[in-house]
Amino acid sequence: MHTFFENHLLILYVFLVLMGFLAGFIDAVAGGGGLISVPALAFTGMPIALVLGTNKLQSSIGTGVAVYKYYRDGLINFKTVYRGLLMGFVGACTGAILANIVSNQFMRYIVPFLMLGVFVFNLINKSLGVTEGKKRMGELAFFSIFGFIFGLYDAFFGPGVGNFWIIAIVFFLGYTFLNASGYAKVLNLKSNLFSLVIFIWFGKVNYTFGFIMACGQFLGGYIGAKMVILKGSKLVRPFFMAVVSINIVVLFYQMIFTNGVAAG
């Protein structure tokens, strides 16, 4: 831990709560809360494995609250998404196995361009996701195929998976950003919980920091989901574009200048 925080634990705890709130709010609205929570936890001086494991603990709580709020307001039908959860588990297992066999470094050179494509596509199609669009795939096929693909990607590499889920749901199922955000949260929660179990198994979770930050995540996730429900897709789209933009900058920076791990 940094010397300053060793002597000022209360300041550290307040900092983690505030960053947790901000991360939870942004994640509930458009995904990408890890862009805030991972650097905040890294600032404590913990090793990267502990940072990632602790992040999964606190983000699971914030995402869980957001999912509950979306479900209570009738924006999530679990019968629609269950196949994505099942195939996501299969994909995550496959991705975890691949990550231990094959290097994922090549993904650092591919994902930034995919994210840039998402941004440009949304910039051109300004009405996409604001109102219901054309349905290009059946829900059964969509959640089966993309559940596996994004589950594998999340376990194998990870950054931007929430953003990829939202744009895929909007484009292929014709959902609005409002509905897509709710379903993306369910699928992200699955990934978070699966990863959390692995980190706990290897003892890579700081429960003190995780639960302190989760206090902010809890409130941020609830308020973020409530704001989305009240304001609808017109709120989600600009947040989504902003998060994707930041992701692009971070991913290109890491691709060119560092070997660091991006936020998932």
Side-chain angles (χ1 to χ4, degrees), residues 75-85 121 127-147 150 164-184 186-187:
L75 294 175
I76 296 173
N77 182 349
F78 284 104
K79 289 182 179 179
T80 297
V81 79
Y82 82 93
R83 192 168 293 268
L85 297 174
F121 183 75
S127 63
L128 186 72
V130 177
T131 58
E132 288 189 9
K134 179 182 177 182
K135 193 170 185 176
R136 295 173 171 86
M137 287 182 71
E139 291 175 346
L140 186 64
F142 174 83
F143 283 111
S144 297
I145 295 170
F146 284 93
F150 290 146
F164 288 135
W165 261 121
I166 289 176
I167 194 62
I169 292 171
V170 167
F171 181 75
F172 287 104
L173 296 183
Y175 286 12
T176 63
F177 274 109
L178 172 62
N179 295 105
S181 186
Y183 282 108
V186 176
L187 295 154

Side-chain angles (χ1 to χ4, degrees), residues 53 70 74-75 85 93 145 163 165 170 173-174 231 235 240 253:
Y70 279 117
L75 294 175
L85 297 174
C93 290
I145 295 170
N163 302 136
W165 261 121
V170 167
L173 296 183
K231 301 294 184 179
L235 172 69
F240 177 80
Y253 176 83

Side-chain angles (χ1 to χ4, degrees), residues 25-26 29-31 119 122-123 125-126 128-130 163 166 177-178 228 231-246:
F25 180 87
I26 290 174
V29 175
F119 180 83
N122 272 275
L123 203 61
N125 297 276
K126 294 183 178 180
L128 186 72
V130 177
N163 302 136
I166 289 176
F177 274 109
L178 172 62
V228 170
K231 301 294 184 179
S233 298
K234 290 182 179 179
L235 172 69
V236 180
R237 190 176 192 277
F239 266 88
F240 177 80
M241 293 293 281
V243 170
V244 169
S245 300
I246 296 170

Side-chain angles (χ1 to χ4, degrees), residues 59-82:
S59 65
S60 293
I61 292 173
T63 305
V65 171
V67 167
Y68 174 75
K69 181 60 178 170
Y70 279 117
Y71 175 73
R72 281 291 303 270
D73 284 78
L75 294 175
I76 296 173
N77 182 349
F78 284 104
K79 289 182 179 179
T80 297
V81 79
Y82 82 93

Side-chain angles (χ1 to χ4, degrees), residues 6 13 39 44 115 147 210:
E6 287 177 347
Y13 294 161
T44 65
M115 194 68 72

